[in-house]
Amino acid sequence: MTREEALDSIKANVENGNLIKHMLATEAIMRALAIRLGEDEEEWGITGLLHDIDMELTEGDMNIHSKLGADLARELGANETMAHAILCHNETHGVPRETKLDKALFCADPLTGLIIAAALVRPDKKLAGLEARSVRKKFKEKSFAAGVDRDQISLCSQIGFELGEFIELGVEAMKGIAAALGL
Ligand SMILES: [Fe+2]
Protein backbone atom coordinates (compact mmCIF):
# COMPACT_ATOMS: atom_id res chain seq x y z
CA MET A 1 0.00 0.00 0.00
CA THR A 2 1.22 3.46 -0.78
CA ARG A 3 0.88 6.41 1.56
CA GLU A 4 -1.69 7.92 -0.81
CA GLU A 5 -3.83 4.80 -0.62
CA ALA A 6 -3.64 4.89 3.17
CA LEU A 7 -4.61 8.55 3.24
CA ASP A 8 -7.49 8.01 0.80
CA SER A 9 -8.82 5.28 3.04
CA ILE A 10 -8.61 7.53 6.08
CA LYS A 11 -10.50 10.25 4.29
CA ALA A 12 -13.15 7.71 3.33
CA ASN A 13 -13.55 6.51 6.92
CA VAL A 14 -12.97 9.59 9.07
CA GLU A 15 -14.90 12.86 8.95
CA ASN A 16 -13.42 14.62 11.97
CA GLY A 17 -10.65 16.91 10.76
CA ASN A 18 -8.92 16.96 14.14
CA LEU A 19 -8.78 13.19 14.18
CA ILE A 20 -7.21 13.18 10.72
CA LYS A 21 -4.68 15.76 11.92
CA HIS A 22 -3.92 13.57 14.93
CA MET A 23 -3.12 10.69 12.58
CA LEU A 24 -0.97 12.91 10.35
CA ALA A 25 0.93 14.10 13.42
CA THR A 26 1.41 10.54 14.60
CA GLU A 27 2.70 9.62 11.15
CA ALA A 28 5.22 12.46 11.23
CA ILE A 29 6.56 11.41 14.62
CA MET A 30 6.70 7.75 13.59
CA ARG A 31 8.67 8.63 10.47
CA ALA A 32 11.15 10.66 12.51
CA LEU A 33 11.49 7.81 15.02
CA ALA A 34 12.08 5.27 12.23
CA ILE A 35 14.80 7.43 10.70
CA ARG A 36 16.47 7.92 14.08
CA LEU A 37 16.29 4.23 14.94
CA GLY A 38 17.23 2.93 11.50
CA GLU A 39 13.84 1.32 10.96
CA ASP A 40 11.60 1.22 7.87
CA GLU A 41 10.26 4.75 7.51
CA GLU A 42 7.31 3.87 5.25
CA GLU A 43 6.24 0.99 7.47
CA TRP A 44 6.39 3.09 10.63
CA GLY A 45 4.87 6.17 9.01
CA ILE A 46 1.91 4.38 7.48
CA THR A 47 1.26 2.54 10.77
CA GLY A 48 1.06 5.90 12.51
CA LEU A 49 -1.13 7.30 9.77
CA LEU A 50 -3.61 4.42 9.95
CA HIS A 51 -3.67 3.73 13.67
CA ASP A 52 -7.03 5.36 14.48
CA ILE A 53 -8.74 4.74 11.13
CA ASP A 54 -11.59 2.89 12.83
CA MET A 55 -12.27 5.46 15.56
CA GLU A 56 -15.50 6.75 14.00
CA LEU A 57 -16.59 3.39 12.63
CA THR A 58 -16.37 1.89 16.12
CA GLU A 59 -18.08 4.91 17.67
CA GLY A 60 -15.62 4.97 20.53
CA ASP A 61 -16.33 1.37 21.58
CA MET A 62 -12.93 0.47 22.99
CA ASN A 63 -13.73 -3.24 22.81
CA ILE A 64 -13.79 -2.98 19.02
CA HIS A 65 -11.44 -0.03 18.44
CA SER A 66 -8.11 -1.09 16.96
CA LYS A 67 -9.32 -4.65 16.26
CA LEU A 68 -11.30 -3.30 13.34
CA GLY A 69 -8.45 -0.88 12.62
CA ALA A 70 -5.95 -3.72 12.35
CA ASP A 71 -8.31 -5.59 10.01
CA LEU A 72 -8.79 -2.52 7.82
CA ALA A 73 -5.03 -2.01 7.70
CA ARG A 74 -4.53 -5.64 6.63
CA GLU A 75 -7.14 -5.23 3.89
CA LEU A 76 -5.20 -2.23 2.64
CA GLY A 77 -2.05 -4.32 2.49
CA ALA A 78 -0.40 -3.70 5.85
CA ASN A 79 1.86 -6.51 7.05
CA GLU A 80 1.34 -8.33 10.35
CA THR A 81 3.92 -6.19 12.16
CA MET A 82 1.95 -3.08 11.30
CA ALA A 83 -1.42 -4.66 12.08
CA HIS A 84 -0.12 -5.85 15.46
CA ALA A 85 1.10 -2.38 16.40
CA ILE A 86 -2.31 -0.95 15.54
CA LEU A 87 -4.12 -3.69 17.47
CA CYS A 88 -2.09 -3.36 20.68
CA HIS A 89 -2.06 0.45 20.83
CA ASN A 90 -5.46 0.02 22.53
CA GLU A 91 -4.70 -1.67 25.85
CA THR A 92 -8.30 -2.83 26.27
CA HIS A 93 -7.55 -6.00 24.35
CA GLY A 94 -4.72 -7.03 26.65
CA VAL A 95 -2.40 -7.72 23.71
CA PRO A 96 1.18 -7.13 24.88
CA ARG A 97 3.44 -4.72 23.04
CA GLU A 98 6.28 -6.81 21.67
CA THR A 99 8.05 -5.15 18.76
CA LYS A 100 9.79 -1.81 18.62
CA LEU A 101 7.02 -0.65 16.31
CA ASP A 102 4.38 -1.61 18.90
CA LYS A 103 6.21 0.36 21.57
CA ALA A 104 6.93 3.36 19.37
CA LEU A 105 3.32 3.80 18.28
CA PHE A 106 2.10 3.51 21.86
CA CYS A 107 4.23 6.39 23.18
CA ALA A 108 4.05 8.57 20.05
CA ASP A 109 0.22 8.57 20.03
CA PRO A 110 -0.33 10.73 23.17
CA LEU A 111 2.67 12.98 22.44
CA THR A 112 0.80 14.52 19.50
CA GLY A 113 -1.95 15.76 21.81
CA LEU A 114 0.46 17.38 24.24
CA ILE A 115 2.30 19.20 21.44
CA ILE A 116 -0.90 20.39 19.75
CA ALA A 117 -2.21 21.67 23.09
CA ALA A 118 1.09 23.46 23.76
CA ALA A 119 0.94 25.14 20.35
CA LEU A 120 -2.66 26.23 20.82
CA VAL A 121 -1.96 28.17 24.04
CA ARG A 122 0.71 30.26 22.30
CA PRO A 123 -0.39 33.77 21.31
CA ASP A 124 0.09 32.96 17.62
CA LYS A 125 -1.27 29.41 18.02
CA LYS A 126 1.57 28.23 15.78
CA LEU A 127 4.04 25.38 16.02
CA ALA A 128 6.87 27.35 14.44
CA GLY A 129 7.94 29.20 17.60
CA LEU A 130 7.20 26.35 20.00
CA GLU A 131 10.24 25.13 21.87
CA ALA A 132 10.62 21.59 23.11
CA ARG A 133 11.55 22.80 26.60
CA SER A 134 8.21 24.59 26.89
CA VAL A 135 6.44 21.33 25.99
CA ARG A 136 8.55 19.66 28.63
CA LYS A 137 7.26 22.16 31.19
CA LYS A 138 3.68 21.51 30.11
CA PHE A 139 4.37 17.81 30.51
CA LYS A 140 5.07 18.41 34.20
CA GLU A 141 1.94 20.53 34.71
CA LYS A 142 -0.58 17.78 35.36
CA SER A 143 -3.56 20.11 34.93
CA PHE A 144 -2.43 21.14 31.44
CA ALA A 145 -4.11 18.97 28.77
CA ALA A 146 -5.02 16.65 31.62
CA GLY A 147 -6.33 13.98 29.24
CA VAL A 148 -2.84 13.39 27.86
CA ASP A 149 -1.38 10.30 29.49
CA ARG A 150 2.11 11.27 30.70
CA ASP A 151 2.98 7.74 31.77
CA GLN A 152 2.27 6.51 28.27
CA ILE A 153 4.55 9.15 26.74
CA SER A 154 7.26 8.22 29.25
CA LEU A 155 7.33 4.71 27.81
CA CYS A 156 9.59 6.21 25.13
CA SER A 157 12.30 4.81 27.41
CA GLN A 158 11.37 1.38 26.01
CA ILE A 159 12.61 2.45 22.57
CA GLY A 160 15.74 4.04 23.98
CA PHE A 161 14.66 7.66 24.28
CA GLU A 162 14.95 10.02 27.19
CA LEU A 163 11.83 12.09 27.66
CA GLY A 164 13.48 15.36 26.64
CA GLU A 165 14.86 14.04 23.37
CA PHE A 166 11.59 12.29 22.60
CA ILE A 167 9.64 15.52 23.03
CA GLU A 168 12.22 17.36 20.94
CA LEU A 169 11.93 14.83 18.13
CA GLY A 170 8.13 15.08 18.26
CA VAL A 171 8.11 18.86 18.13
CA GLU A 172 10.52 18.96 15.19
CA ALA A 173 8.60 16.27 13.32
CA MET A 174 5.30 18.08 13.74
CA LYS A 175 6.81 21.41 12.75
CA GLY A 176 7.67 19.74 9.46
CA ILE A 177 3.98 19.27 8.67
CA ALA A 178 2.66 22.40 10.43
CA ALA A 179 0.74 23.53 7.35
CA ALA A 180 -1.11 20.21 7.07
CA LEU A 181 -1.92 20.46 10.78
CA GLY A 182 -3.15 24.03 10.38
CA LEU A 183 -0.77 25.11 13.15
FE1 LIG B 1 -4.28 7.91 18.32
Side-chain angles (χ1 to χ4, degrees):
M1 146 194 35
T2 65
R3 179 187 188 266
E4 295 325 303
E5 287 165 346
L7 193 55
D8 285 348
S9 181
I10 281 168
K11 288 178 177 162
N13 288 292
V14 180
E15 278 183 11
N16 182 326
N18 286 334
L19 182 54
I20 294 177
K21 285 175 183 172
H22 163 64
M23 288 191 270
L24 289 170
T26 308
E27 177 194 18
I29 297 177
M30 292 298 288
R31 283 184 183 275
L33 284 172
I35 291 168
R36 183 76 68 88
L37 296 170
E39 300 289 336
D40 185 325
E41 185 190 335
E42 282 308 300
E43 182 180 272
W44 283 42
I46 291 175
T47 302
L49 183 59
L50 288 175
H51 82 279
D52 278 337
I53 189 172
D54 67 354
M55 197 62 108
E56 288 180 2
L57 293 168
T58 56
E59 297 175 343
D61 183 342
M62 295 308 265
N63 292 310
I64 312 172
H65 169 53
S66 89
K67 275 188 181 170
L68 177 61
D71 286 342
L72 289 173
R74 279 190 199 96
E75 279 169 28
L76 285 165
N79 62 37
E80 275 312 303
T81 311
M82 297 163 79
H84 190 271
I86 292 171
L87 175 66
C88 71
H89 95 272
N90 173 9
E91 287 191 297
T92 309
H93 310 309
V95 178
R97 293 180 293 280
E98 291 159 349
T99 68
K100 234 183 229 184
L101 180 56
D102 293 345
K103 293 169 186 169
L105 178 62
F106 192 70
C107 60
D109 185 7
L111 180 60
T112 65
L114 182 67
I115 294 174
I116 288 173
L120 290 177
V121 294
R122 291 176 49 78
D124 62 4
K125 297 190 182 351
K126 296 282 179 205
L127 271 170
L130 180 67
E131 289 187 40
R133 65 164 179 218
S134 123
V135 179
R136 183 86 192 262
K137 266 192 214 152
K138 302 286 190 214
F139 180 96
K140 290 181 190 152
E141 283 173 35
K142 301 283 181 231
S143 60
F144 178 83
V148 172
D149 189 332
R150 270 69 170 170
D151 291 339
Q152 191 170 335
I153 294 175
S154 296
L155 290 175
C156 64
S157 61
Q158 295 187 341
I159 52 168
F161 277 80
E162 286 182 5
L163 182 62
E165 62 175 334
F166 186 55
I167 288 175
E168 198 174 322
L169 176 141
V171 169
E172 289 311 310
M174 285 174 58
K175 280 181 182 175
I177 58 156
L181 298 176
L183 289 171

PDB file of all heavy atoms in Angstrom, residues 19 22-23 26 48 51-52 55 65 89 105 109-110 112, ligand 1:
ATOM      1  N   LEU A  19      -9.243  14.577  14.081  1.00  0.00           N
ATOM      2  CA  LEU A  19      -8.784  13.190  14.178  1.00  0.00           C
ATOM      3  C   LEU A  19      -7.819  12.871  13.026  1.00  0.00           C
ATOM      4  O   LEU A  19      -6.798  12.200  13.226  1.00  0.00           O
ATOM      5  CB  LEU A  19      -9.994  12.238  14.165  1.00  0.00           C
ATOM      6  CG  LEU A  19      -9.705  10.745  14.294  1.00  0.00           C
ATOM      7  CD1 LEU A  19      -8.862  10.433  15.522  1.00  0.00           C
ATOM      8  CD2 LEU A  19     -11.023   9.959  14.349  1.00  0.00           C
ATOM      9  N   HIS A  22      -4.595  14.400  13.920  1.00  0.00           N
ATOM     10  CA  HIS A  22      -3.920  13.575  14.931  1.00  0.00           C
ATOM     11  C   HIS A  22      -3.165  12.423  14.266  1.00  0.00           C
ATOM     12  O   HIS A  22      -2.036  12.107  14.634  1.00  0.00           O
ATOM     13  CB  HIS A  22      -4.938  13.041  15.944  1.00  0.00           C
ATOM     14  CG  HIS A  22      -4.434  11.886  16.751  1.00  0.00           C
ATOM     15  ND1 HIS A  22      -3.366  12.001  17.621  1.00  0.00           N
ATOM     16  CD2 HIS A  22      -4.822  10.585  16.794  1.00  0.00           C
ATOM     17  CE1 HIS A  22      -3.133  10.806  18.166  1.00  0.00           C
ATOM     18  NE2 HIS A  22      -3.991   9.933  17.675  1.00  0.00           N
ATOM     19  N   MET A  23      -3.783  11.825  13.258  1.00  0.00           N
ATOM     20  CA  MET A  23      -3.124  10.695  12.584  1.00  0.00           C
ATOM     21  C   MET A  23      -1.949  11.169  11.727  1.00  0.00           C
ATOM     22  O   MET A  23      -0.917  10.496  11.647  1.00  0.00           O
ATOM     23  CB  MET A  23      -4.152   9.899  11.776  1.00  0.00           C
ATOM     24  CG  MET A  23      -5.085   9.114  12.697  1.00  0.00           C
ATOM     25  SD  MET A  23      -6.112   7.911  11.835  1.00  0.00           S
ATOM     26  CE  MET A  23      -7.525   8.915  11.460  1.00  0.00           C
ATOM     27  N   THR A  26       0.833  11.812  14.158  1.00  0.00           N
ATOM     28  CA  THR A  26       1.409  10.537  14.601  1.00  0.00           C
ATOM     29  C   THR A  26       2.316   9.970  13.509  1.00  0.00           C
ATOM     30  O   THR A  26       3.416   9.467  13.787  1.00  0.00           O
ATOM     31  CB  THR A  26       0.288   9.527  14.959  1.00  0.00           C
ATOM     32  OG1 THR A  26      -0.619  10.136  15.876  1.00  0.00           O
ATOM     33  CG2 THR A  26       0.871   8.270  15.594  1.00  0.00           C
ATOM     34  N   GLY A  48       1.522   4.730  11.755  1.00  0.00           N
ATOM     35  CA  GLY A  48       1.058   5.904  12.509  1.00  0.00           C
ATOM     36  C   GLY A  48      -0.130   6.565  11.841  1.00  0.00           C
ATOM     37  O   GLY A  48      -1.101   6.955  12.487  1.00  0.00           O
ATOM     38  N   HIS A  51      -3.392   4.404  12.396  1.00  0.00           N
ATOM     39  CA  HIS A  51      -3.670   3.726  13.670  1.00  0.00           C
ATOM     40  C   HIS A  51      -5.070   3.962  14.254  1.00  0.00           C
ATOM     41  O   HIS A  51      -5.589   3.102  14.957  1.00  0.00           O
ATOM     42  CB  HIS A  51      -2.579   4.039  14.713  1.00  0.00           C
ATOM     43  CG  HIS A  51      -2.765   5.338  15.422  1.00  0.00           C
ATOM     44  ND1 HIS A  51      -2.393   6.540  14.885  1.00  0.00           N
ATOM     45  CD2 HIS A  51      -3.299   5.620  16.635  1.00  0.00           C
ATOM     46  CE1 HIS A  51      -2.673   7.511  15.733  1.00  0.00           C
ATOM     47  NE2 HIS A  51      -3.228   6.982  16.810  1.00  0.00           N
ATOM     48  N   ASP A  52      -5.680   5.105  13.951  1.00  0.00           N
ATOM     49  CA  ASP A  52      -7.035   5.357  14.484  1.00  0.00           C
ATOM     50  C   ASP A  52      -8.090   5.367  13.377  1.00  0.00           C
ATOM     51  O   ASP A  52      -9.145   5.993  13.537  1.00  0.00           O
ATOM     52  CB  ASP A  52      -7.069   6.702  15.226  1.00  0.00           C
ATOM     53  CG  ASP A  52      -6.553   6.602  16.654  1.00  0.00           C
ATOM     54  OD1 ASP A  52      -6.574   5.492  17.223  1.00  0.00           O
ATOM     55  OD2 ASP A  52      -6.138   7.638  17.207  1.00  0.00           O
ATOM     56  N   MET A  55     -11.733   4.760  14.387  1.00  0.00           N
ATOM     57  CA  MET A  55     -12.274   5.463  15.560  1.00  0.00           C
ATOM     58  C   MET A  55     -13.745   5.857  15.388  1.00  0.00           C
ATOM     59  O   MET A  55     -14.550   5.700  16.311  1.00  0.00           O
ATOM     60  CB  MET A  55     -11.426   6.702  15.852  1.00  0.00           C
ATOM     61  CG  MET A  55     -11.624   7.257  17.236  1.00  0.00           C
ATOM     62  SD  MET A  55     -11.155   6.100  18.530  1.00  0.00           S
ATOM     63  CE  MET A  55      -9.650   6.853  19.109  1.00  0.00           C
ATOM     64  N   HIS A  65     -12.478  -0.930  18.954  1.00  0.00           N
ATOM     65  CA  HIS A  65     -11.437  -0.033  18.437  1.00  0.00           C
ATOM     66  C   HIS A  65     -10.078  -0.729  18.390  1.00  0.00           C
ATOM     67  O   HIS A  65      -9.671  -1.363  19.366  1.00  0.00           O
ATOM     68  CB  HIS A  65     -11.336   1.221  19.312  1.00  0.00           C
ATOM     69  CG  HIS A  65     -10.129   2.057  19.014  1.00  0.00           C
ATOM     70  ND1 HIS A  65      -9.822   2.500  17.749  1.00  0.00           N
ATOM     71  CD2 HIS A  65      -9.139   2.515  19.814  1.00  0.00           C
ATOM     72  CE1 HIS A  65      -8.696   3.202  17.780  1.00  0.00           C
ATOM     73  NE2 HIS A  65      -8.260   3.218  19.033  1.00  0.00           N
ATOM     74  N   HIS A  89      -2.146  -0.928  20.299  1.00  0.00           N
ATOM     75  CA  HIS A  89      -2.063   0.445  20.831  1.00  0.00           C
ATOM     76  C   HIS A  89      -3.271   0.753  21.705  1.00  0.00           C
ATOM     77  O   HIS A  89      -3.259   1.711  22.467  1.00  0.00           O
ATOM     78  CB  HIS A  89      -1.860   1.483  19.715  1.00  0.00           C
ATOM     79  CG  HIS A  89      -3.105   2.145  19.203  1.00  0.00           C
ATOM     80  ND1 HIS A  89      -3.875   1.629  18.185  1.00  0.00           N
ATOM     81  CD2 HIS A  89      -3.730   3.286  19.580  1.00  0.00           C
ATOM     82  CE1 HIS A  89      -4.913   2.427  17.964  1.00  0.00           C
ATOM     83  NE2 HIS A  89      -4.844   3.433  18.792  1.00  0.00           N
ATOM     84  N   LEU A 105       4.657   3.246  18.537  1.00  0.00           N
ATOM     85  CA  LEU A 105       3.321   3.804  18.277  1.00  0.00           C
ATOM     86  C   LEU A 105       2.631   4.158  19.583  1.00  0.00           C
ATOM     87  O   LEU A 105       1.979   5.202  19.704  1.00  0.00           O
ATOM     88  CB  LEU A 105       2.466   2.794  17.485  1.00  0.00           C
ATOM     89  CG  LEU A 105       1.032   3.258  17.198  1.00  0.00           C
ATOM     90  CD1 LEU A 105       1.008   4.518  16.335  1.00  0.00           C
ATOM     91  CD2 LEU A 105       0.224   2.149  16.523  1.00  0.00           C
ATOM     92  N   ASP A 109       1.642   8.216  20.134  1.00  0.00           N
ATOM     93  CA  ASP A 109       0.224   8.572  20.032  1.00  0.00           C
ATOM     94  C   ASP A 109      -0.160   9.735  20.970  1.00  0.00           C
ATOM     95  O   ASP A 109      -0.649  10.777  20.509  1.00  0.00           O
ATOM     96  CB  ASP A 109      -0.576   7.279  20.307  1.00  0.00           C
ATOM     97  CG  ASP A 109      -2.055   7.395  20.126  1.00  0.00           C
ATOM     98  OD1 ASP A 109      -2.535   8.429  19.646  1.00  0.00           O
ATOM     99  OD2 ASP A 109      -2.756   6.415  20.459  1.00  0.00           O
ATOM    100  N   PRO A 110       0.078   9.630  22.287  1.00  0.00           N
ATOM    101  CA  PRO A 110      -0.326  10.735  23.167  1.00  0.00           C
ATOM    102  C   PRO A 110       0.564  11.979  23.060  1.00  0.00           C
ATOM    103  O   PRO A 110       0.137  13.074  23.425  1.00  0.00           O
ATOM    104  CB  PRO A 110      -0.229  10.126  24.573  1.00  0.00           C
ATOM    105  CG  PRO A 110       0.764   9.022  24.447  1.00  0.00           C
ATOM    106  CD  PRO A 110       0.612   8.493  23.051  1.00  0.00           C
ATOM    107  N   THR A 112       1.386  13.576  20.455  1.00  0.00           N
ATOM    108  CA  THR A 112       0.798  14.524  19.495  1.00  0.00           C
ATOM    109  C   THR A 112      -0.160  15.477  20.203  1.00  0.00           C
ATOM    110  O   THR A 112      -0.169  16.666  19.921  1.00  0.00           O
ATOM    111  CB  THR A 112       0.021  13.795  18.380  1.00  0.00           C
ATOM    112  OG1 THR A 112      -1.100  13.124  18.947  1.00  0.00           O
ATOM    113  CG2 THR A 112       0.902  12.786  17.649  1.00  0.00           C
TER     114      THR A 112
HETATM  115 FE    FE B   1      -4.281   7.906  18.324  1.00  0.00          FE
END
